[in-house]
Amino acid sequence: MPELVLESNGRTWTLDPSRAYTLGRDPQGDVVLDDARVSWRHATISFNGRSWVIEDHGSTNGTFVQGQRIHHLEFGSDTVLNLGNATDGPRVTLSGAVAGAAAATPQAQPRQQPYAAQGANAGWAQQAPQQQPGWQQPAPQQPAAHIPQQQGPGGGAGAPPVYGDRSPTTFHQFSLGRVMRIGRALENDLVVSDLQVSRNHAEFHSTPDGRMEIRDLGSHNGTYVNGLPIAKGGSQLLGPTDIVGVGHSTFRIVGDRLEEFVDTGEVSFSARHLTVTVDGGKQILKDVSFGVPEKSLIAVIGPSGSGKSTLLKALTGYRPANQGEVLYDNRNLYKQFAELRQRIGLVPQDDILHKELTVKKALTYAAKLRFPADTTAAERESRIDEVLRELKLDIHKGKKVTSLSGGQRKRVSVALELLTKPSLIFLDEPTSGLDPGMDRDVMQLLRGLADDGRTVLVVTHSVAELAICDKLLVMAPGGSVAYFGPPEEALNFFGYDTWADVFSAFENYRDYDWAGRWKGSQHYQMYAADIDAVAPQSVQVPAMQAMKPPKPQGWMSQFTTLVRRYVSVIASDKGFLALMVILPAVLGAVSLLIDADKGLLPNPPNPQTGRIIPNGTATTVLLILAVGACFAGAANSVRELIKERVIYERERATGLSRSAYLMSKVFVLGAITVLQGLLVGVIGFSSREIPEEGLVFGGFTMLELSVPIMALGFTSMMFGLIISSLVKTAEKTMPLLVMFAIIQVVFTGCLFALHGSIGVNQFSFLMPSRWAVAASGATLDFNRISPPETAGDTDPLWEHTVGAWAMDMGALLVLGVVCGFFVARFLRRHEPEVMRK
C-alpha cells in the first residue's frame, strides 16, 4: 500500500494508507486550511484498498480538479486540488506512487438524481434520469475494497455494515491489554471533536478472556450499544456484531482493530410501509414508502387531510406508525430513538424559541440545555457564532426575535436546530404566512443546507419553489402516496398544467385510487419499487419500553438554566412586569372601599339579646382579598404552558427533564405570586383594626393573615398550570380562568354557610379559597365574628386554635402538590410518543 505526499501552503504531510485524513477549517482535523472558502470539514482523503480517494463532504464552495468540481474521485499521482474556488482556492498537491489508479481526469458531475435503495445493505444506487441535452451518464463508482475481517476479540466475519456499504472513516489499532479512551479532550487516545461528546466519554477495555467491553465514564449524552444507552458509568461486553455509538461517531470492533464511522451528513433515510391507525380503525396514513437520498432536499405536499403532519410525526418518532419502520442508514429509528434523536433536527411550524429574547441569548440558553454539562462557555459561544455566520444571522444576533421578519425568525429556528449538527432536518410548514419573497428565501436556505451536507425534508403548502428540490412527495387524500420523484416530472405525471388543477382533482375525486395509479406507473418502478420490495436489515434490540434517553445536563443544571431563561423572558416583557405590580395593588385597594372605618374584630354583644352582631365587613373584605389572590395567581400561569408547548415538545425530545421544566415554572411563578399575595394582604389589612395577637405568629398578626392569602395565590397558580396543560389553544384559557375565579367566590364560605350542607361542604374541600379563608378566619375567630344561626353549629375549619389554622394551611399546600402531580401527568401527553413506551 503506497504512501501519499500532500503539500499545501509550504507544509508537507505523508499520508499512511491505513487511515483516513480530513481536510478543512476544523482545528482538530488532520490538514487544517485556514481559508473562509473552505468548509469546516471539507473533504477526506483515504486509501480504499486499490487507490487513493478524495471525497468531498458536501462542502459549500466545492473541491476542484482541473477546474471541474468533484465529489468522489479516485486519483493518480501528481494531482492538484483547489478547495473553495476552482482558480485561486487553497492549493493542495498530492504526489506519490498510487497503485491501480490512472491519472485523475474528472468529469463534470451534475446533481445525480434520482436514487433508490438496491438492497438491505447496498446503500443508495443511482438510476438513470431523464435524458437531457448535455447530460452525461457518470461512470459508476467502484465499490470500496473488501476489508478482511479477522476473527479476534469482539470481532468477526459476521460484523454488519454500519453505514450501508461505506468504508470506515478511520481505523484504530488495539494492542493487548490496552485501554482506549474516547472523548472531546485532547488527552484522550481517540479524540472526537463533537460537542455532543463529553470531555472524557467512554473507554474500550480488553477483558482477561480476550473479549472487549465498553465502559461509560459518566458521559452526559450517553454511550450506546446497538442504539440503546448503557447505564451511566456502567459497562457492557461487546460481541462480534455490536455497534457502539458516541455522539455522531459509531464504532465497531473487527479483530484487533477499531473501525470508526463518522456521521458527516451523508446518510440515507427511508420510510417503509408506514401505516397509522387511529381509534375506530380509521387509517390516516396508508402504506407510505419512499427513500430519501443523502444530502438532498425533499418537499412533501398534498391537500388538507392527506396525512402530511401525521407522516412528519411518524418520520421523526414523535408518533410512531402502527405498522412499518423508519430507517436511518439501515438503523430502525423507533428502536434506536435514544441515540438517533441526537442526529435529527425538527423545526415545527411555530417558532421554537422565546420571542422576547435576543437571537444570541435565545441560542445561548438552547445550547446550554442541549450540550453536555462539561461544555465550556467558549465552546458554546464558538458554535453559536459559527451557525449564525452560516445562516447570515450574525448581523441580527443582538435583536429581539420579535423584531425580526417572518423569514428571519424561521432562520433562527433553523439555527437552533443546527447547533447540534444534525444530519437530517425536518421542517413543518416553514413558509406558512410568508410572502412570496420570503418563501423563496427560506426555500433557498434549505437548498443551501442540503448542498452543505445535510438531508432536508420539508412539509409545505407552497408550490412556488418546488423546482429547487431534489425530490417531491405528493400525498393523496386519505394518507397514501400519489407521486414520488423529481419535481419537474410531477405535473406531467398527473396530466395537468398547474398544481391548482392537481389539488382540485384530489378534491373532486377523493375516492379515486391515487395510490394504485402511482404504483402502476413507470415512475414508481424507477423511484420507489425497490424501497417497497426490500426487507430492511436492522440490529435486533429489546422492546421500546427498555429505552430511556440520557439527559445532556443534570437535573439541577437544567433547572438553573430554565429559571435563568424564564426570568430573562419575564424581565424583557415590560407589560407583564407592570401588570404584575398593578393587578395585586388594585385588587388590594378595592377592599379599602368597603366600610373603610370598620375593623375586622368581633362586634360587642347586643345589650338586649346578648347575641353577637355579625361583623359583615370582616367576611366581605376577606372574600375580596381571597378572590383577588385567586385571580392574580391563576392569571400568572394560565397561559404559560400552552404558549410554550411547541418549545417544550422539541426540548423534551432533546433530553429536557420534565420535572426540571415544571419546577422552574413553579419556582419563578410561585415567587411572583407569593409576593403579589403579600402585597394584597398588606394593602387589605394595614388600614384595618385587627387582633393584636395571632394564633401562630404572636404579635405579627398582619403577616399571619397574609400568609394564607399568599398560599392561596400559589395554589391558584398551580390550578392555572393545570388549565394551561389541558387546553389546546391559548384562547380557551380566559373563559376557564373566569369560571375558576367565580367558583372560588361561591366556595369561600363567606356568602353562605358551607358547614352542614351535605355534599356542597365536601365539594368545597377541593377549592383552595375555602381553606385560605378558613385559615385567616381562624386567626380572626370567624365563629365569633359571624356566628351561626344555630348555637353549636360552628364551622370546625374556623376554630380559633393553632390546630385548625395548621390544618387549613396544610390542606391548602396539599392541594398545590396534587395539582403539581396532575400537571406533570398532563405534560407527558405532549412528549414524543416513542419516549412514553
Side-chain angles (χ1 to χ4, degrees), residues 50 64 209 366 675:
R50 180 187 59 261
F64 300 87
D209 59 358
L675 291 175

Side-chain angles (χ1 to χ4, degrees), residues 299-303 460-467 471-475 482-507 514:
V300 180
I301 64 172
T460 180
H461 276 113
S462 174
V463 296
E465 303 296 329
L466 296 180
K471 287 289 193 305
L472 176 63
L473 175 67
V474 182
M475 300 294 293
Y483 173 82
F484 179 72
E488 62 270 15
E489 300 177 19
L491 287 176
N492 287 335
F493 171 82
F494 288 107
Y496 291 100
D497 295 328
T498 67
W499 282 108
D501 295 329
V502 175
F503 279 46
S504 295
F506 283 148
E507 181 64 29
W514 295 100

Side-chain angles (χ1 to χ4, degrees), residues 19 72 87 125 134 188 195 242 247 268 280 343 347 468 473 550 558 632 662 674 678 716 731 786 788 807 830:
R19 55 161 296 193
H72 180 98
T87 55
N188 289 285
L195 289 183
D242 287 334
S268 61
R343 309 186 190 184
V347 181
I468 69 174
L473 175 67
Q558 286 194 7
L662 177 56
V674 166
L678 179 61
S716 298
E731 290 75 17
S786 183
M807 181 184 69
H830 306 297

Side-chain angles (χ1 to χ4, degrees), residues 172 563 667:
H172 306 278
V563 167
F667 180 81

Side-chain angles (χ1 to χ4, degrees), residues 404-446:
L404 303 178
S405 66
Q408 290 169 341
R409 285 203 304 272
K410 193 57 64 177
R411 282 178 178 264
V412 178
S413 293
V414 173
L416 191 152
E417 290 300 309
L418 291 185
L419 290 174
T420 54
K421 297 186 178 181
S423 303
L424 189 63
I425 303 177
F426 294 92
L427 299 100
D428 186 12
E429 300 286 356
T431 60
S432 178
L434 303 184
D435 61 49
M438 290 184 180
D439 181 357
R440 179 184 60 193
D441 291 343
V442 171
M443 291 301 290
Q444 288 179 344
L445 164 68
L446 304 184

